[in-house]
Amino acid sequence: MFPLLNYDSPADLKKYLASRNMAMQKKFGQNFLINPNARKALIDSLDAAPGDAVWEIGPGLGAMTSLLLNRGCYVKAFEIDKGFIEALKDLFQNEAKLEIIPGDVFKTWKPALPAAPFLLGNLPYNIGASILADFIEQKCFFSRIIVTVQKEVAERMAAKPGSSDYSSFSVLCGMAYTVTPLMVLRGASFYPPPHVDSQGVRLDIKQDVNFADYPSIQIPLVRSLFSSRRKTVQNNLQTFLSSGIMNVSRNRESTIRESTIRESSIRDIAAAALDACGIPYKERAEKLTLDEFTALARSLEKLRVNS
Ligand code: SAM
């Protein structure tokens, strides 16, 4: 049974690192979760059964990995730090259920497909939101995800329309998952203690959604509508259409006459699309529900087909 290290004790962890001539690397967002109750609660929330396959991002020295292995899970652990990788090999030698994938998870996860049903990670602050967005945008889905991220990121993930935390990332997460905030973790739960709070988040795949049914322009559209939060949906939509992503104008030449035609057609298309979904022109993106973003993306695609 694991663990082989006392993951609750900064002194023991420091001693272990020193014995291997290793130091923590700030650039990789390394903060060990030294709070055993939090570790157990996160693993309990994942609720993986013996024999289940789990991807773990950033195993570090294996604090969470050991709990997963004790539960009989198969773990694919993505770790960037060469020193940690060697330490993991020594700590978990001959453990057939652990596969370590060395390198930057952004580069290594794609060849490692197909994805496991579960994803776990005490994510480094600097990559938390972007790796989750990467998985969703690349259509790599998990039945359940348990992560800890910076508290502000957790709030954005779980935010509802009308709240100041509601963002394109909230919509992106909501396209695939039901998001449930878990416990808040103060700096003292980690070694070294970070200056910001963290929070656990649980994401459960939405069973009633087929991601392929979302219009292909939906994600860029949502990003664009949130790009200037104080501007109206109409203004941001016109900017989105002018970007050419929809190929609204077949003629990209910039003579005065052509650009005037293009501008008026962009205004008309934006108005027609908003009218078709009953969205007021002066509305802000932060008020729109996921269904309204989807309806807007669909009506834009329809207008493109018919134009
Ligand atoms: N899982 C350990 C724990 O809970 O105590 C360590 C968590 S620590 C916050 C983040 C881990 O992610 C570190 O081990 C770090 O080296 C690793 N990491 C950082 N950036 C990474 C990346 N781009 N790809 C893979 N691992 C990364």
Side-chain angles (χ1 to χ4, degrees), residues 2 18 24 60 82 87 129 148 158 167 172-173 181 183 233 253 255 271 276 291 295 300:
F2 302 107
M24 303 287 274
K82 290 195 172 95
T148 60
S167 67
L172 187 65
C173 292
M183 77 292 262
V233 167
E253 300 301 312
T255 64
D291 286 349
L300 283 170

Side-chain angles (χ1 to χ4, degrees), residues 245-305:
I245 199 160
M246 297 265 308
N247 282 334
V248 164
S249 166
R250 291 191 188 87
N251 192 338
R252 287 171 182 247
E253 300 301 312
S254 59
T255 64
I256 291 172
R257 199 178 125 61
E258 281 162 350
S259 68
T260 311
I261 291 168
R262 188 163 174 256
E263 264 168 40
S264 72
S265 85
I266 282 171
R267 256 202 314 276
D268 292 347
I269 289 174
L274 291 167
D275 286 345
C277 331
I279 299 173
Y281 299 170
K282 301 268 172 269
E283 195 59 282
R284 315 271 163 194
E286 67 197 47
K287 291 278 166 55
L288 298 187
T289 62
L290 171 59
D291 286 349
E292 286 174 314
F293 282 115
T294 307
L296 185 57
R298 285 215 173 100
S299 66
L300 283 170
E301 289 214 326
K302 231 185 258 167
L303 288 166
R304 174 165 62 175
V305 170

